[in-house]
Amino acid sequence: MSAEQNSAVGEQPSVKRKKAAKGSTVKPVKAPTENAAATEPTAPSAKRTAKPAAKRTAESARPTAGTAKPAARRTAKSAKPTAGPAATPAAKPESHLAMVRRARRINRELAEVYPYAHPELDFRNPFELLVATVLSAQTTDLRVNQTTPAVFAKYPTPEDMAAAVPEELEEAIRPTGFFRAKAKSLIGLSTALRDRFDGEVPGNLDDLVSLPGVGRKTANVVLGNAFGVPGLTVDTHFGRLVRRWKWTEQEDPEKVEAEIAAIFPKSEWTMLSHRVIFHGRRICHSRKPACGACPIAHLCPSYGEGETDPEKARKLLKYEMGGYPGQRLSPPADYPGKPAPARVE
């Protein structure tokens, strides 16, 4: 279209605009037939025709916009119930009863995953278990199991350990770390066993915690696994998992023990401890849990804190779950994994 044609077509609407003001309708502009390109309205004609059209559009749109508000309100109202259940964990905290039911279900499912759960310290009698548990502080059960055979061979009874030369005992237990403090505790508890309990490990909590270096955790390990007295072993794995599962928010071990004891029957305490600790060591690790390989992920409110990809998660599994040796040199007969290496590496 030439500049002249565009100008000619653009002038026609200005004449019609005055007539249109008198009439009720606006007649469409008839473009010259000899120029097909002139049938397209130019900017001035578009401006003239757009005003009434815009008004009609706006007028027709008003009812639509008006009805859109109630529709939006209805949509918002109808969306609330839908959004409610999806946001239940954040909007509506889990009731105590629901938590207890979920906790007991986790325990049942862990029993199916770890039917062979057991104490992972090698021992043959209550005294050996007591000594091994004291040595297990701030180290692995594997390192303790690799160290205690020589210790028990040299100090088989409380009387023998009570008479130990501190420097020699320290050297024997050096691989477990903190050997000076541990040697002092071992000599002290052995002396107390010799002098107060006729060389026998007592089978009750009060007497056990009266021994030097023995706290509730150590006492419950000994009671549950050497005497068959139910007890909860609140170590770092146990405390971490029960908080991750929202069974408790407590940090203090004794408060954790009290709250978890209220959730489960007393008969379950010892085996619950083994299952939770097994799971913490094999799958639900501290820094990078293997969420994608976790058999109780559907019950875990913290799912997603770790690796969720199944293939990547399987590579994080430890001990028998990952196809590796366990921590005991002499594991139970039903243990599905390999025995630990006897040498300290």
Side-chain angles (χ1 to χ4, degrees):
M1 180 183 293
S2 65
E4 291 80 11
Q5 289 172 331
N6 189 34
S7 176
V9 176
E11 290 174 359
Q12 291 175 7
S14 62
V15 179
K16 296 287 185 178
R17 200 156 41 237
K18 295 179 180 179
K19 295 179 180 180
K22 296 178 180 180
S24 58
T25 59
V26 179
K27 293 182 180 180
V29 179
K30 292 184 180 180
T33 56
E34 64 270 17
N35 190 350
T39 58
E40 298 180 7
T42 59
S45 63
K47 192 180 292 184
R48 182 200 61 77
T49 56
K51 285 184 177 180
K55 289 180 181 178
R56 287 195 299 271
T57 305
E59 289 173 359
S60 60
R62 283 173 191 160
T64 308
T67 55
K69 289 183 179 178
R73 291 195 192 102
R74 287 195 299 272
T75 304
K77 288 179 180 178
S78 61
K80 287 179 182 176
T82 307
T88 299
K92 186 179 180 181
E94 183 181 43
S95 69
H96 180 73
L97 179 59
M99 180 276 291
V100 170
R101 288 174 175 171
R102 180 172 56 81
R104 292 182 177 183
R105 185 177 173 188
I106 286 176
N107 182 41
R108 291 194 300 270
E109 295 199 12
L110 287 180
E112 296 176 2
V113 177
Y114 307 110
Y116 51 87
H118 58 272
E120 295 191 270
L121 291 169
D122 287 324
F123 68 97
R124 294 169 297 184
N125 54 59
F127 176 65
E128 288 189 354
L129 179 57
L130 178 60
V131 171
T133 306
V134 170
L135 292 177
S136 69
Q138 304 300 317
T139 190
T140 64
D141 287 358
L142 171 59
R143 182 55 55 93
V144 173
N145 292 336
Q146 292 171 329
T147 304
T148 50
V151 174
F152 294 149
K154 190 171 184 178
Y155 310 104
T157 67
E159 291 82 1
D160 295 321
M161 191 165 285
V165 176
E167 292 76 14
E168 292 180 2
L169 180 57
E170 289 173 7
E171 189 60 31
I173 65 174
R174 179 183 289 268
T176 67
F178 301 95
F179 53 91
R180 291 189 179 89
K182 290 178 180 179
K184 183 178 180 180
S185 293
L186 291 179
I187 292 174
L189 70 85
S190 296
T191 302
L193 290 176
R194 181 194 64 191
D195 297 344
R196 293 165 47 203
F197 299 101
D198 297 325
E200 298 293 331
V201 176
N204 65 81
L205 184 65
D206 291 338
D207 287 340
L208 281 171
V209 296
S210 72
L211 300 174
V214 178
R216 289 184 67 90
K217 185 201 84 170
T218 298
N220 281 327
V221 170
V222 174
L223 290 174
N225 298 287
F227 294 100
V229 178
L232 288 170
T233 304
V234 184
D235 68 353
T236 54
H237 300 288
F238 190 93
R240 182 181 75 251
L241 265 64
V242 297
R243 284 187 290 272
R244 187 171 279 172
W245 291 335
K246 312 300 182 188
W247 293 1
T248 181
E249 295 180 354
Q250 299 294 337
E251 295 284 345
D252 180 79
E254 289 194 26
K255 292 180 179 178
V256 170
E257 181 184 345
E259 290 199 2
I260 304 306
I263 297 174
F264 296 92
K266 193 173 183 178
S267 59
E268 286 289 314
W269 290 355
T270 300
M271 287 309 300
L272 171 69
S273 300
H274 292 324
R275 293 163 191 155
V276 173
I277 293 171
F278 256 57
H279 193 64
R281 286 174 172 170
R282 286 149 179 79
I283 297 178
C284 197
H285 311 135
S286 176
R287 295 185 180 179
K288 199 169 184 180
C291 295
C294 180
I296 59 165
H298 57 290
L299 297 171
C300 181
S302 300
Y303 174 80
E305 286 188 7
E307 180 58 65
T308 57
D309 180 81
E311 290 299 323
K312 293 180 181 179
R314 274 193 284 272
K315 295 179 182 179
L316 299 174
L317 302 180
K318 295 181 179 179
Y319 302 111
E320 76 281 358
M321 300 297 286
Y324 306 109
Q327 298 200 75
R328 293 192 66 168
L329 277 63
S330 302
D334 62 344
Y335 180 67
K338 302 173 184 177
R343 293 183 60 184
V344 177
E345 298 177 357

